[in-house]
Structure formats: structure tokens, C-alpha cells
Amino acid sequence: GAGVSQSPSNKVTEKGKDVELRCDPISGHTALYWYRQSLGQGLEFLIYFQGNSAPDKSGLPSDRFSAERTGGSVSTLTIQRTQQEDSAVYLCASSSGGDSHYEQYFGPGTRLTVT
Amino acid sequence: AQSVAQPEDQVNVAEGNPLTVKCTYSVSGNPYLFWYVQYPNRGLQFLLKYITGDNLVKGSYGFEAEFNKSQTSFHLKKPSALVSDSALYFCAVRLYSSASKIIFGSGTRLSIRP
């Protein structure tokens, strides 16, 4: 595809359930980021993948959050035992190095609602 | 602590007037600076970036930004605002020394009245 895609676009789940959010980055982009955006707020960095390097997990808010990136492409963000405060829009972005100097391309996001 | 600040939650401008959306940063080393825009019900879009060179950077939709090292600022500007510029604007900084850390400001909502 031409851009970053994310699925599902909307997810409603009950408190305590696990959820998986998927991100398909732009083909060839080596860097992938996950952010969280609460209603009307700024972007909170969650995790970063770059090629085959160990991911930077410093933004994950708790050990209930984890992410994987398989084959250097698709990424899945997993939230275990969801809480109401996890409700937010989860954004994925990808970028390439070189001349683009880490300009990020964002997906449309997944809106997570925990009831 | 390294950070980026957008001191105004909201900026209101009349159509046709110049606009400025402010951004200041606090980082060690040389920063890469970015502006992104988020239109209602749409994803974030890249507007412009400063890496090195000319302090005045031109970007999409007629926007420009000026890097001021002494004031550690990177304000977004446009000479003549359009109603269609109404959106949420984010300033971001990437640390040259860091492969991963891209810090976003809290965002400024720009409202252009006809």
C-alpha cells in the first residue's frame, strides 16, 4: 500500500481483556514507532523499532504493554488486562533513514475504548 | 530533561491574517525539528523539518518555520491564513544523538475564522 495502515480502526473491549493492535508500515521503512494520543492531547511515545536492533521500550507505561515487529515489517502492540485508562488512539508511524532524516509517516490510528 | 513545549493550547486568527504557532525546545546537542498537522478525523501529516542550513524552512500548504538557536525556538508561520488551515499542530524534536527519541509537544489548536 501507499501509506501506513492500522487495524482495527476501532476497538471496544471490556476491562480486563487483552487486545492486539496491528500496524503495517510503508514498505522499505526500517523504523517503526508506536504512540498513544489521549483525547485532544499530545502524542505519548511508547516504543520504537529500528531494523534488527533491540527496540526502545522506554515509553511503555507498564508491563501490560508489549510490542513485536515480525520480519522487520508488520508490528503488533498488545495490551494485556486492559484498564479504562488505556482508552486512547494508538498511532503507528514509520520512517526511513537517509535523506528523509526520520520524517515520520503516520497511520490513521486505532481508537481503543475500554468499558 | 529534554522536552518540547507549545505554550498555546489554542490560537485564533482571522482569515487572511498572518499566523504564528509557537514551539520551544530544550535538548542537548543539535536537534532535528519537525512540524506535523492533524486535521479532524485524519492522521498526522508531515509539514516541514529543520535539519541544518538555512534557518527559514518552507513546507507544505504555504507554511514556513524559523529555527532560532539562541532562543531555542522553531515557530510555525504562514503569511495569510486560510479557514482550511484550522487543525491541531504538533511540534516535534528528534535528538541527533538518539536513534529513537522523537518528542512531541502537546499540540496547538489553530482556529481560523472567516
Side-chain angles (χ1 to χ4, degrees):
Chain A
V4 178
S5 61
Q6 293 185 244
S7 61
S9 56
N10 282 284
K11 177 70 176 180
V12 180
T13 190
E14 293 180 352
K15 178 182 174 181
K17 301 284 189 181
D18 298 351
V19 294
E20 286 188 351
L21 312 180
R22 177 187 169 104
C23 172
D24 283 88
I26 292 174
S27 178
H29 279 189
T30 57
L32 187 148
Y33 305 78
W34 282 99
Y35 294 90
R36 180 167 68 175
Q37 184 179 25
S38 300
L39 184 63
Q41 301 299 309
L43 274 69
E44 177 187 5
F45 168 80
L46 297 177
I47 189 169
Y48 163 80
F49 297 90
Q50 172 62 54
N52 295 322
S53 302
D56 180 344
K57 304 179 181 180
S58 61
L60 295 178
S62 78
D63 59 7
R64 296 186 296 105
F65 288 73
S66 63
E68 292 183 341
R69 188 178 185 192
T70 55
S73 181
V74 172
S75 177
T76 301
L77 177 68
T78 301
I79 309 174
Q80 296 177 311
R81 304 181 303 281
T82 53
Q83 304 295 314
Q84 288 186 331
E85 60 263 29
D86 299 334
S87 296
V89 176
Y90 289 81
L91 295 169
C92 175
S94 70
S95 70
S96 63
D99 292 342
S100 71
H101 288 287
Y102 303 98
E103 170 185 327
Q104 293 177 300
Y105 295 82
F106 282 82
T110 293
R111 182 176 298 278
L112 175 66
T113 303
V114 182
T115 61
Chain B
Q2 301 179 31
S3 63
V4 58
Q6 294 180 243
E8 302 156 315
D9 291 337
Q10 174 114 13
V11 171
N12 300 309
V13 177
E15 186 175 30
N17 283 359
L19 69 87
T20 299
V21 183
K22 296 179 180 177
C23 172
T24 59
Y25 64 91
S26 175
V27 301
S28 56
N30 296 319
Y32 294 171
L33 295 156
F34 305 84
W35 275 100
Y36 287 84
V37 59
Q38 188 175 37
Y39 296 104
N41 300 316
R42 293 170 61 179
L44 274 82
Q45 297 177 30
F46 169 80
L47 269 183
L48 52 78
K49 65 187 177 189
Y50 171 82
I51 304 300
T52 186
D54 194 348
N55 289 343
L56 184 63
V57 178
K58 295 186 182 298
S60 306
Y61 311 122
F63 283 92
E64 58 188 27
E66 185 170 10
F67 171 63
N68 188 317
K69 188 172 184 177
S70 63
Q71 297 186 4
T72 61
S73 68
F74 190 57
H75 300 332
L76 181 70
K77 301 181 180 183
K78 188 173 182 180
S80 179
L82 299 173
V83 173
S84 58
D85 293 330
S86 299
L88 188 58
Y89 290 80
F90 291 96
C91 180
V93 59
R94 176 186 171 269
L95 309 178
Y96 178 78
S97 61
S98 168
S100 63
K101 288 297 186 185
I102 298 180
I103 305 169
F104 280 78
S106 56
T108 298
R109 188 164 300 280
L110 178 63
S111 178
I112 310 299
R113 61 183 183 275

mmCIF file of all heavy atoms in Angstrom, chain B residues 27-44:
data_model
loop_
_atom_site.group_PDB
_atom_site.id
_atom_site.type_symbol
_atom_site.label_atom_id
_atom_site.label_comp_id
_atom_site.label_asym_id
_atom_site.label_seq_id
_atom_site.Cartn_x
_atom_site.Cartn_y
_atom_site.Cartn_z
ATOM 1 N N VAL B 27 16.875 20.669 24.500
ATOM 2 C CA VAL B 27 17.598 19.417 24.263
ATOM 3 C C VAL B 27 19.084 19.695 24.325
ATOM 4 O O VAL B 27 19.523 20.835 24.138
ATOM 5 C CB VAL B 27 17.243 18.793 22.900
ATOM 6 C CG1 VAL B 27 15.762 18.506 22.793
ATOM 7 C CG2 VAL B 27 17.702 19.683 21.766
ATOM 8 N N SER B 28 19.844 18.660 24.549
ATOM 9 C CA SER B 28 21.288 18.779 24.465
ATOM 10 C C SER B 28 21.713 18.317 23.090
ATOM 11 O O SER B 28 21.156 17.383 22.531
ATOM 12 C CB SER B 28 21.954 17.931 25.547
ATOM 13 O OG SER B 28 21.528 16.588 25.454
ATOM 14 N N GLY B 29 22.672 18.998 22.531
ATOM 15 C CA GLY B 29 23.116 18.632 21.201
ATOM 16 C C GLY B 29 22.288 19.313 20.128
ATOM 17 O O GLY B 29 21.461 20.182 20.389
ATOM 18 N N ASN B 30 22.518 18.905 18.899
ATOM 19 C CA ASN B 30 21.841 19.514 17.759
ATOM 20 C C ASN B 30 20.524 18.792 17.482
ATOM 21 O O ASN B 30 20.520 17.592 17.249
ATOM 22 C CB ASN B 30 22.731 19.451 16.522
ATOM 23 C CG ASN B 30 23.989 20.271 16.696
ATOM 24 O OD1 ASN B 30 23.944 21.366 17.233
ATOM 25 N ND2 ASN B 30 25.116 19.743 16.264
ATOM 26 N N PRO B 31 19.431 19.515 17.488
ATOM 27 C CA PRO B 31 18.138 18.864 17.281
ATOM 28 C C PRO B 31 17.729 18.837 15.817
ATOM 29 O O PRO B 31 18.124 19.683 15.020
ATOM 30 C CB PRO B 31 17.190 19.762 18.066
ATOM 31 C CG PRO B 31 17.774 21.126 17.875
ATOM 32 C CD PRO B 31 19.275 20.927 17.827
ATOM 33 N N TYR B 32 16.941 17.842 15.482
ATOM 34 C CA TYR B 32 16.158 17.879 14.252
ATOM 35 C C TYR B 32 14.758 18.297 14.681
ATOM 36 O O TYR B 32 14.216 17.737 15.620
ATOM 37 C CB TYR B 32 16.088 16.507 13.586
ATOM 38 C CG TYR B 32 17.382 15.957 13.048
ATOM 39 C CD1 TYR B 32 17.439 14.632 12.593
ATOM 40 C CD2 TYR B 32 18.535 16.711 12.979
ATOM 41 C CE1 TYR B 32 18.613 14.092 12.088
ATOM 42 C CE2 TYR B 32 19.713 16.178 12.483
ATOM 43 C CZ TYR B 32 19.752 14.875 12.040
ATOM 44 O OH TYR B 32 20.910 14.338 11.531
ATOM 45 N N LEU B 33 14.159 19.242 13.981
ATOM 46 C CA LEU B 33 12.876 19.801 14.384
ATOM 47 C C LEU B 33 11.836 19.588 13.297
ATOM 48 O O LEU B 33 12.133 19.704 12.110
ATOM 49 C CB LEU B 33 13.030 21.293 14.687
ATOM 50 C CG LEU B 33 13.921 21.594 15.886
ATOM 51 C CD1 LEU B 33 14.497 22.984 15.806
ATOM 52 C CD2 LEU B 33 13.131 21.419 17.179
ATOM 53 N N PHE B 34 10.617 19.311 13.709
ATOM 54 C CA PHE B 34 9.545 18.969 12.782
ATOM 55 C C PHE B 34 8.253 19.667 13.204
ATOM 56 O O PHE B 34 8.031 19.950 14.362
ATOM 57 C CB PHE B 34 9.276 17.451 12.794
ATOM 58 C CG PHE B 34 10.474 16.596 12.520
ATOM 59 C CD1 PHE B 34 11.352 16.258 13.535
ATOM 60 C CD2 PHE B 34 10.714 16.114 11.243
ATOM 61 C CE1 PHE B 34 12.454 15.457 13.296
ATOM 62 C CE2 PHE B 34 11.818 15.303 10.992
ATOM 63 C CZ PHE B 34 12.688 14.988 12.022
ATOM 64 N N TRP B 35 7.398 19.900 12.206
ATOM 65 C CA TRP B 35 6.019 20.280 12.456
ATOM 66 C C TRP B 35 5.117 19.282 11.732
ATOM 67 O O TRP B 35 5.371 18.940 10.569
ATOM 68 C CB TRP B 35 5.707 21.685 11.945
ATOM 69 C CG TRP B 35 6.066 22.760 12.917
ATOM 70 C CD1 TRP B 35 7.170 23.556 12.920
ATOM 71 C CD2 TRP B 35 5.294 23.177 14.059
ATOM 72 N NE1 TRP B 35 7.140 24.433 13.982
ATOM 73 C CE2 TRP B 35 6.002 24.221 14.689
ATOM 74 C CE3 TRP B 35 4.074 22.770 14.594
ATOM 75 C CZ2 TRP B 35 5.530 24.860 15.839
ATOM 76 C CZ3 TRP B 35 3.607 23.406 15.726
ATOM 77 C CH2 TRP B 35 4.329 24.436 16.342
ATOM 78 N N TYR B 36 4.077 18.856 12.460
ATOM 79 C CA TYR B 36 3.059 17.986 11.901
ATOM 80 C C TYR B 36 1.700 18.633 12.107
ATOM 81 O O TYR B 36 1.494 19.410 13.042
ATOM 82 C CB TYR B 36 3.064 16.624 12.607
ATOM 83 C CG TYR B 36 4.243 15.749 12.252
ATOM 84 C CD1 TYR B 36 5.461 15.896 12.914
ATOM 85 C CD2 TYR B 36 4.129 14.785 11.260
ATOM 86 C CE1 TYR B 36 6.540 15.090 12.581
ATOM 87 C CE2 TYR B 36 5.217 13.980 10.937
ATOM 88 C CZ TYR B 36 6.408 14.147 11.598
ATOM 89 O OH TYR B 36 7.475 13.352 11.270
ATOM 90 N N VAL B 37 0.750 18.278 11.236
ATOM 91 C CA VAL B 37 -0.616 18.791 11.346
ATOM 92 C C VAL B 37 -1.582 17.619 11.394
ATOM 93 O O VAL B 37 -1.373 16.593 10.742
ATOM 94 C CB VAL B 37 -0.954 19.734 10.170
ATOM 95 C CG1 VAL B 37 -0.823 19.028 8.832
ATOM 96 C CG2 VAL B 37 -2.355 20.312 10.327
ATOM 97 N N GLN B 38 -2.603 17.763 12.208
ATOM 98 C CA GLN B 38 -3.647 16.735 12.319
ATOM 99 C C GLN B 38 -4.989 17.378 12.046
ATOM 100 O O GLN B 38 -5.506 18.142 12.867
ATOM 101 C CB GLN B 38 -3.617 16.099 13.702
ATOM 102 C CG GLN B 38 -4.536 14.897 13.849
ATOM 103 C CD GLN B 38 -4.371 14.232 15.211
ATOM 104 O OE1 GLN B 38 -4.168 14.889 16.220
ATOM 105 N NE2 GLN B 38 -4.460 12.905 15.236
ATOM 106 N N TYR B 39 -5.550 17.075 10.866
ATOM 107 C CA TYR B 39 -6.875 17.568 10.525
ATOM 108 C C TYR B 39 -7.922 16.670 11.188
ATOM 109 O O TYR B 39 -7.645 15.508 11.495
ATOM 110 C CB TYR B 39 -7.062 17.583 9.011
ATOM 111 C CG TYR B 39 -6.129 18.547 8.311
ATOM 112 C CD1 TYR B 39 -5.014 18.083 7.613
ATOM 113 C CD2 TYR B 39 -6.342 19.923 8.360
ATOM 114 C CE1 TYR B 39 -4.150 18.957 6.982
ATOM 115 C CE2 TYR B 39 -5.482 20.807 7.741
ATOM 116 C CZ TYR B 39 -4.386 20.321 7.052
ATOM 117 O OH TYR B 39 -3.524 21.197 6.442
ATOM 118 N N PRO B 40 -9.116 17.188 11.401
ATOM 119 C CA PRO B 40 -10.166 16.399 12.061
ATOM 120 C C PRO B 40 -10.384 15.063 11.375
ATOM 121 O O PRO B 40 -10.494 14.995 10.147
ATOM 122 C CB PRO B 40 -11.400 17.303 11.946
ATOM 123 C CG PRO B 40 -10.847 18.683 11.869
ATOM 124 C CD PRO B 40 -9.561 18.567 11.102
ATOM 125 N N ASN B 41 -10.382 14.012 12.163
ATOM 126 C CA ASN B 41 -10.651 12.654 11.676
ATOM 127 C C ASN B 41 -9.643 12.174 10.632
ATOM 128 O O ASN B 41 -9.965 11.315 9.810
ATOM 129 C CB ASN B 41 -12.074 12.554 11.102
ATOM 130 C CG ASN B 41 -13.119 12.889 12.148
ATOM 131 O OD1 ASN B 41 -13.032 12.441 13.288
ATOM 132 N ND2 ASN B 41 -14.076 13.717 11.785
ATOM 133 N N ARG B 42 -8.458 12.755 10.683
ATOM 134 C CA ARG B 42 -7.404 12.306 9.776
ATOM 135 C C ARG B 42 -6.113 12.113 10.552
ATOM 136 O O ARG B 42 -5.936 12.626 11.640
ATOM 137 C CB ARG B 42 -7.200 13.320 8.651
ATOM 138 C CG ARG B 42 -8.393 13.406 7.719
ATOM 139 C CD ARG B 42 -8.298 14.571 6.764
ATOM 140 N NE ARG B 42 -7.143 14.498 5.885
ATOM 141 C CZ ARG B 42 -6.865 15.406 4.961
ATOM 142 N NH1 ARG B 42 -7.639 16.445 4.818
ATOM 143 N NH2 ARG B 42 -5.799 15.291 4.200
ATOM 144 N N GLY B 43 -5.206 11.370 9.967
ATOM 145 C CA GLY B 43 -3.930 11.116 10.633
ATOM 146 C C GLY B 43 -3.013 12.316 10.581
ATOM 147 O O GLY B 43 -3.264 13.299 9.895
ATOM 148 N N LEU B 44 -1.927 12.227 11.339
ATOM 149 C CA LEU B 44 -0.935 13.296 11.325
ATOM 150 C C LEU B 44 -0.200 13.334 9.994
ATOM 151 O O LEU B 44 0.144 12.292 9.428
ATOM 152 C CB LEU B 44 0.100 13.073 12.429
ATOM 153 C CG LEU B 44 -0.256 13.623 13.794
ATOM 154 C CD1 LEU B 44 -1.173 12.654 14.511
ATOM 155 C CD2 LEU B 44 0.982 13.874 14.611
#
